Amino acid sequence: MSGEDTEALLDALDRIDARLHDEQAYLTDLDSRVGDADHGNNLARGISAVTEKRDDLAEMELDEAVKTVGTTLVSEVGGAAGPLYGGSIMSASQTLDGGLDAESALAFAEAYREKLTERGGARPGDKTMVDAVTPAVHTFQRAIEEDDLPPIDALAKAVDAARRGVAYTVPLRASKGRASYLGLRAVGHRDPGATSTLFILEELLATATDRAGEASVTDAYADDAVARDGASETPADANADGAEDA
Amino acid sequence: MVGLLVVSHSAKAASGIVEIAAEMASDVPLVAAGGDPDGGIGTDADAIAAGLDGADDGEGVVVLVDLGSATMNAELAIELSDADAVLADAPVLEGTVNAAVHAAGSKATLDSTLAAAEEARGMSKL
C-alpha cells in the first residue's frame, strides 16, 4: 500500500516539476510586479532538487517521502516560499504516517493550512498564498465530511475554490510579504504565491484523474464489485498525495 | 556568554552588521547568516541553523533579522536547531549593536539580551 502511495506522490512530483518549469517565467514576472522577482526561479530550482531525489524517494514510506520533499524545498527554494511551502509540508507530513486515504488527505490539508498561516502570520485577504489555500482546504473538508463526495471530486472542488481565491487577490493591497512595501502598486496584480499554489493543486488533480483512469482500465477485467472498490481506492490515494501540497 | 546571530537577505549586510557590533563587543559570539543558498539575495534556513550552532556556547542565542522571509527562515531554523534561541523583534543593525554591548556585560542572560535588542525599537536618531 505504501508503495502505491509513494508511486502516486512521484507521479504528482513529475507533473508539478513540469508545470513549475513551464510557468517559471510567468511566476517570476508576476513576482516582479509585487515582490522581488524570484518566485518562479526559486520554485523551479526547488522542484528540480526534489525530483533529483526521485530514486531515494521511491524507497521511502509516504510520510517520510513527503517530509523529504519539505526539507529539500526548505534547503533549496529560499525566499519566503522555502519556509512556507517546505516548512508546512514537513510539518504536515506526520499526518500521512498511516498511508493515504480520504481521512489522512484531509488531515494533511488542514495541518498544511495551519502551519502555513502560523508561519507567515497571514490571514485571508492579505494577498498571499493563504488566499488560495484557505478556500481550497475548507472546500475539500466540506466536500468530504458534509457532502460525502469521493476524494477526487472533493479535490476538483478545492481546485475551483483555489482558482477563485487567486482571482480574489488581484484587487487587494498586500499587508504581508515584500508586496506590503509597495502599497497601492501591488493592486491589480495576482499574488504569485497564491498562483503557484493553484498550479500545484491543478497538477495534483490531474495526477489523481490520471491514476483513476488507469485504475478503471485495469478494473474493467474484474467483476463489478471489485471495479467499484478499485475506482474508489485509487483516487483517494492520488488525492491525499495531492493534498500534501494543498 | 549569550551569542548573537544576524540574519539578512544580503551576506554583505549580515557580515557588515557583525563587523560594526564586534567593534564594541569583541568577546561576544557574533555570527552572520546572510544570502540565499546560491549566494544571491535571500535567506537560507540551513545556513541560519548552522549559524545558531556557531553562535551558541551554551547560554543561548538572540537572533536578529531583516525583512519578511528572514523572519520565517529564522523561525524554522530555531525549530530545527538544538540551540536555545529566541527571535528579537528589533531593527537588525541597532538591535544587534545594543544586544552585543549588553551581552558583553557579566550579568547578561538570554532574556536580558533579548530585551536589550528590542529596546532598540524605540531609539531615536534625532
Side-chain angles (χ1 to χ4, degrees), chain A residues 70-144:
Chain A
T71 52
T72 306
L73 293 176
V74 165
S75 299
E76 300 291 334
V77 173
L84 288 172
Y85 272 119
S88 306
I89 290 170
M90 270 167 63
S91 166
S93 66
Q94 297 164 19
T95 59
L96 300 173
D97 62 355
L100 199 50
D101 54 25
E103 200 184 327
S104 67
L106 181 55
F108 182 96
E110 290 189 327
Y112 179 92
R113 188 196 61 77
E114 253 173 51
K115 194 69 193 181
L116 180 75
T117 48
E118 180 202 315
R119 177 82 62 207
R123 287 180 302 198
D126 284 343
K127 199 179 180 99
T128 71
M129 47 176 79
V130 168
D131 291 320
V133 169
T134 301
V137 173
H138 287 163
T139 301
F140 191 62
Q141 179 187 22
R142 267 198 309 278
I144 300 255

Side-chain angles (χ1 to χ4, degrees), chain B residues 2-92:
Chain B
V2 175
L4 300 178
L5 177 66
V6 179
V7 179
S8 170
H9 277 60
S10 154
K12 286 184 199 163
S15 55
I17 290 167
V18 161
E19 225 178 345
I20 294 169
E23 221 179 16
M24 301 171 72
S26 56
D27 295 340
V28 175
L30 282 158
V31 176
D36 74 6
D38 291 340
I41 296 294
T43 54
D44 175 355
D46 291 343
I48 298 168
L52 286 172
D53 294 339
D56 186 26
D57 69 5
E59 292 187 43
V61 182
V62 175
V63 183
L64 292 110
V65 296
D66 64 0
L67 307 172
S69 67
T71 306
M72 285 186 261
N73 271 316
E75 284 171 346
L76 185 61
I78 289 170
E79 286 170 25
L80 296 174
S81 163
D82 294 330
D84 187 12
V86 289
L87 196 55
D89 184 6
V92 60

